[in-house]
Structures are given as structure tokens and as C-alpha cells.
Amino acid sequence: MTPPSRQALVPFVSVDHMMRLVLHVGIERMMVELTEAIEADFRRWPEFDKTPRVASHSEIGVIELMPTSDGQQYGFKYVNGHPSNTRQGLQTVTAFGVLADVSTGYPVLLSEMTILTALRTAATSAMAAKWLAPAGSTVMAMIGNGAQAEFQALAMKAVCGIEEVRLFDIDPAATAKCRANLAGRGLRVIPCASAEEAMLGAQIVTTCTADKQYATILTDNMVGSGVHINAVGGDCPGKTELAPAILHRAGIFVEYPPQTRIEGEIQQLDPNHPVTELWQVIAGQAPGRSDAAQVTLFDSVGFAIEDFSALRHIHRRLQGTGLYQDLDMIADPDDPRDLFGMICRAEAAVSAA
Amino acid sequence: MTPPSRQALVPFVSVDHMMRLVLHVGIERMMVELTEAIEADFRRWPEFDKTPRVASHSEIGVIELMPTSDGQQYGFKYVNGHPSNTRQGLQTVTAFGVLADVSTGYPVLLSEMTILTALRTAATSAMAAKWLAPAGSTVMAMIGNGAQAEFQALAMKAVCGIEEVRLFDIDPAATAKCRANLAGRGLRVIPCASAEEAMLGAQIVTTCTADKQYATILTDNMVGSGVHINAVGGDCPGKTELAPAILHRAGIFVEYPPQTRIEGEIQQLDPNHPVTELWQVIAGQAPGRSDAAQVTLFDSVGFAIEDFSALRHIHRRLQGTGLYQDLDMIADPDDPRDLFGMICRAEAAVSAA
């Protein structure tokens, strides 16, 4: 049988290859690069096709497709969210994604994105903090010490210069896991007995908890002036982490308002409550933090452009590493009209073998 | 490094594996099985989440995602349409798809779908003809002898008992290819010099041409009473094959009206023009052909449920064949909250190696 041509083969980055690529580049270096890649795409935000994610909801979870395109390349991510999965030893969130060439429609990359989503979410948080947190921030409170926590801590270290991370989780085992994973990575790691204790002296407060109900991880009186809040965990309808009073005090920055108003912390507010699109701050079209006393909030829910940036960066970074496997994914008859003939020739080859 | 667990591995059906599976089952048997699978899902149509495809258009083509779910399983297809691709020796349409478990959100199958789409499109046509074509149909005209033609011919033979296929294409080379591929498969294959000649004595007329502009493959005076038309080629805005007068005479049957009114032949009609949903005929909720003289039209554009049925059937049919490859696609740490720790352990393993 004729082997498939180059264009018929799609490079696939497995979980193992993604881990090796991250280790090859270095996790902090990867965070810096991803932040730069996402920032470059936020700067040209108007060039992208944008649509809220396409969700299929069931009683116990959601499966979503997140497509976008810049006119040259097209990307989408498949991602699920099933909070009860952990009870069966499964991931709450798993993901994979595809990058394709708009001019032919042919995929050019298939990649695991469970790890890559963790990386890009942390890189996006660090990017927002770089633009919004008070100057000279060195201490971050990390409320919620689950799967995303270490990624957030290292991205904030690599991109924003955070030196101390103060950990709190309602489950001490999660805090212990996070502390152990962060040991020896150049951060002061302080386990705390309460959210209040974690927030002592923190200029940046990151919330990343997994409850799927209206929760109040932060109350108004916990948030001092000048703090930057990075709210990562509230990311679907009915799932929020902040008391509404905080939202009324804060300058609120979002990714894509039509999506954030449904999924983010601001679902608790009037649909006309003013928010600033983060890309506008980065592109110099809107002010960021107004003064040292302002409470700023990045109401992060995750947007398709971040996945697109991450896939493109991985695609570039793969070159020369061999950290992928070619998949025979695209049917490629010699004569494009002769798809059936390709099967006939396979038949002849199988018979002859 | 600990190998990934069973749930972290996603079976992948490559193009080569798909061809071998089709040959293993037998192409006509596969058409019959796919028709049965699609028909079973059309019968329970109201159980499905339905949404028009999510399209990203560019000047020279389109990339689409087609998701659906029956509440137990979720499926989507990625498919492009780039008519100019053939000039570069590439396929106009390529596709792949994923089947997932709604209860966990984990993918259970990744498959090439360029070949599978050709199979399911032909099976859907044959299913429609089985319900709508005149009783005792034995002759089909096949106008347009490109990549889909042989699949249509064999599905109509296997499912509807077609004995003679009359071929016409504006490019005689396409007809010659189609004739050669169909030789020895139990069909009388008659190459014709015009569409009119191809239609002589045909009870079923299938149009499957690739022009992306309003074309008139069939004019009103070519279509005699009692004929069933299977219009496959008109499947996107601005791409149609039939003269409007035919549409005004015919009983029109469609897959999903909100999509067909945009993409199908009926984009030429008033948006309120009456059409019948094919699933209602199959489920006994609407009449099919009214009498032997009625012209019936299946205005086929392709719908996500057909892809879902095809993916589910392939998933069942794979069992025991070994015709797939497991992909390490889902990150699977022993403790689901310890995604970062999985990378740390990979680091230790790489260092030790």
C-alpha cells in the first residue's frame, strides 16, 4: 500500500510528549513563552473570529467545543467539566485540541490539552497580573490547592516575580500536595490554616476552587485596598467564588464579555455592569489599574484565543524535538476524486499480503 | 514512568484502519449496517441535542464542527470544505470525529472520518430512497462522478436493490474512474454522454456535483413524474443543483430544517415553504411519498446525528478486530488533583533514564 503523503499525516502530541516538551523547555520558561504568545494574540484581538463556547450540558457535567480563527489558522479545543469525576479517580477537566490551516482546512496539529490547558490558564492569569497587580507584588495567596495551584504559583513567579505563595485549601491534603510539589523551586511556600491567614501581606489573591455552586471563598471584609484578585475557579453558570460586594468595589477585567457574563463572577451582577476587556488594556486602548488603592479583579473563565495561542506555540516549539507522533488521519488518494479507488487498492494490497 | 490507565487511552482509527475495517466487514454489508444505525437514531430523533453546525468561513472554504448528543454519548465531527483543494491534489472534504461518554466527558473514540463521511452520506441517501423512492426501483442516474459517486451506487444497490447505474459527469475522466471502480461489483454500469441520457429509465436520480455556485444540474423538463431525486451536492450557502421549478413540484424531505434552509436546495425557496423532516417519515409521524406520480426530493446536506450514528457503529464494529491504535490522549495522574505531580514524576523518570 502506498504510504500516506506528508499532508495526510497529522503530528500528535500525547500526554507523555507534552510532559517531555514542558520539561525540555523548562516549566517556568514555558510559562513565560506562553504568556508572550497569549499576549501577542490579545494585542490583535479584533482579528479573531470569536464565539462563545458551544456547550452540551448534562446533569453531571458539560462537554464544550471552543473554536476560533485568525484567518490564517483555525483552532479548537474539546474540553469537559465533570466535578464528580474525581470520586472515580478521573480528572474533572480533560481536553485535547486541533490546529488547522485555514487555506486548506487540513489539520496541522492534534494535541493533548489537559496539561496544556493548565499551563495556558496559569499563563493567562500571570499575564493579567502583570498588567493589573500593584507594582512590586511579591506575595500571592493561593486559595484552592487543587490541580491548577502549582501552575498558577510558578507562572506568577516566572512572569510577575512572586517570591512567596501562601496556600489554603479546605482539604489539608491538597495543601500538603501543593507544598511538596513546589518544594525546591525557588518560592517561599507557606501553608495556612484559613483563607484569611493566606491573604496576610498578599498583593495578589488567586482563587481556584472547584465547587459547582454559589460559594463565597472571599468575603468583602477579607479584601484590602490595592489587592489584585485572580478569580479562576468561577467558570460556569452557578459557579462563583466571590461575594458580590467585592465585585461592586473592584475594577473588573474580563476576556470575552458575552461568555464571562454567563460563566464568570459577574454573572452575579447586572448585565450592564461596566467591565473592561483585558485585551484593550494590553493593546493600549483602555486603562488598567487606576491607582495603588484600587481593587482589581481578573474574572477569568478561559477563552478560545488562549487555547489557539497555546496550540500555535506548541506547534512551533515541537519543531526539531521529535516529541510527537504522526497520525494517518487524513485520507489522501493520489487523485482526490478517487477516494473509493483508494479502498480498492487497499483491498488489493491486503489480498496480496 | 507509570503507563497511562485504560481510561486515559483513546482508541484511534486511522485511514488505513478504516479501510481495513470496511474491507473486513465488506463494503455493501457496511452500507446496510450504517443505514440501520442511522435509521435507528432517526427513529429516536427527539432524544438528540440538535444545533446547526458551527462554521468558520474564509474566502476559499469553511471549517465546521458538528456536535450532537443523545444524553448517553456525545459526538462531534470536524470537517472542512475547500473546493479549490483538488487543484493542489488535496481532498475537498476531509474529516475526523470523536465519540465521548457523557457521564465522564472522556473521549472513547477518535476516528478518521473522510472515508466514514463518504460511507454515512451514501447510507443516508440509501435510507431516504428506501422510504421515498418508487416501489421496485432498479435504475439510478448518477450525475456527478466524483469522490462520492461509487459509495452512492453501492449503498443504493445494497439497501434499495438498484441494479443499473447510469453515469454522467462533465468530465469524462471522472465517469471512467467511477466505471472502473464499480466493475465486477454486480451493477450494470452505463456511462452516458449527457444528464438527460443518464436519466433515461431511472427511478432514482442522484446529483452529487462539486460546483460552489448556483448551478442547474437538473432543469424542470428533465424530471419525469414519480422520480425520486437525491440531491447530495448542494450543501452550503450559494451551492445548489436543482432548478427552483423542480422544488415547487416536489415533495421535499430534509434532515434538520434550520440547517437545510441555509445550506440545501431549499435556500432557493421562501423560508416558509413546507418541507417534511425525514425522521418523521421513519418514525411513522408523517407520510412519505403520496403516490406513484409524486416527485420526491431528499434535500441532503448532512447532519451531525448521521456522524454520531456512524461513529457509534464503528466503535461497536471495532471490538475484537484490533483495527485501532491506543492514543495517550488524556492526562491521568493517580490523584486527579495532582496533575503537576505527574509532570514532576515524569521529570524524575527522564532524569533516571
Side-chain angles (χ1 to χ4, degrees), chain B residues 21-343:
Chain B
L21 183 65
V22 171
L23 295 169
H24 168 73
V25 174
I27 188 159
E28 289 193 43
R29 176 80 213 138
M30 184 65 101
M31 288 296 189
V32 170
E33 291 179 0
L34 282 171
T35 301
E36 288 168 355
I38 296 166
E39 195 169 286
D41 285 339
F42 269 54
R43 226 178 268 281
R44 62 190 185 105
W45 187 269
E47 292 176 23
F48 284 87
D49 268 349
K50 287 169 286 288
T51 172
R53 47 185 120 199
V54 182
S56 177
H57 293 277
S58 66
E59 279 172 28
I60 59 165
V62 63
I63 296 176
E64 300 174 325
L65 299 174
M66 299 168 70
T68 191
S69 169
D70 67 357
Q72 304 296 312
Q73 290 185 294
Y74 169 95
F76 81 89
K77 180 167 80 170
Y78 168 106
V79 59
N80 76 300
H82 287 69
S84 61
N85 268 3
T86 49
R87 271 180 256 143
Q88 308 170 54
L90 302 177
Q91 289 282 295
T92 299
V93 173
T94 68
F96 65 89
V98 168
L99 194 67
D101 173 17
V102 166
S103 71
T104 62
Y106 273 45
V108 298
L109 178 70
L110 169 69
S111 178
E112 88 79 35
M113 288 190 79
T114 307
I115 292 170
L116 189 56
T117 296
L119 293 166
R120 76 84 159 127
T121 301
T124 304
S125 288
M127 176 183 74
K130 179 183 141 191
W131 286 89
L132 299 173
S137 296
T138 56
V139 179
M140 176 168 82
M142 182 77 230
I143 319 279
N145 302 155
Q148 174 64 204
E150 299 92 336
F151 297 96
Q152 289 282 333
L154 290 178
M156 290 290 182
K157 171 176 183 286
V159 175
C160 304
I162 287 297
E163 298 166 1
E164 177 176 320
V165 184
R166 304 175 64 83
L167 305 178
F168 173 69
D169 196 290
I170 51 170
D171 179 359
T175 302
K177 170 222 65 158
C178 187
R179 183 189 193 182
N181 282 336
L182 289 175
R185 294 187 181 269
L187 278 167
R188 274 195 312 281
V189 181
I190 317 284
C192 300
S194 67
E196 288 81 352
E197 185 188 336
M199 289 168 74
L200 286 175
Q203 297 90 15
I204 299 176
V205 178
T206 294
T207 58
C208 192
T209 61
D211 271 320
K212 193 183 170 169
Q213 63 252 11
Y214 291 99
T216 306
I217 308 301
L218 299 189
T219 57
D220 192 28
N221 63 354
M222 291 164 71
V223 178
S225 77
V227 162
H228 173 66
I229 304 172
N230 173 37
V232 180
D235 63 356
C236 65
K239 187 170 166 221
T240 60
E241 298 181 309
L242 306 187
I246 300 173
L247 306 181
H248 285 288
R249 277 167 64 201
I252 302 176
F253 299 83
V254 305
E255 290 144 315
Y256 182 57
Q259 184 174 301
T260 313
R261 294 210 187 266
I262 295 168
E263 301 175 358
E265 296 299 327
I266 59 170
Q267 65 186 278
Q268 305 180 75
L269 298 181
D270 183 278
N272 296 314
H273 189 93
V275 299
T276 303
E277 297 186 46
L278 183 58
W279 76 266
Q280 293 190 301
V281 177
I282 293 170
Q285 297 184 17
R289 163 174 292 274
S290 61
D291 57 58
Q294 189 188 29
V295 173
T296 51
L297 165 64
F298 176 45
D299 187 0
S300 165
V301 298
F303 189 59
I305 293 176
E306 297 148 20
D307 300 309
F308 176 91
S309 311
L311 284 168
R312 284 219 311 169
H313 185 65
I314 292 301
H315 191 232
R316 278 192 298 267
R317 260 299 191 181
L318 274 184
Q319 309 310 314
T321 64
L323 293 170
Y324 60 90
Q325 155 190 9
D326 282 323
L327 295 187
D328 164 31
M329 199 156 122
I330 304 298
D332 179 50
D334 298 333
D335 171 357
R337 289 177 311 188
D338 198 11
L339 189 61
F340 188 86
M342 186 170 72
I343 301 176

Side-chain angles (χ1 to χ4, degrees), chain A residues 238-260:
Chain A
K239 187 172 166 216
T240 60
E241 298 180 309
L242 306 187
I246 300 173
L247 306 181
H248 285 287
R249 279 166 65 200
I252 302 175
F253 299 83
V254 304
E255 290 142 316
Y256 182 58
Q259 184 174 301
T260 313

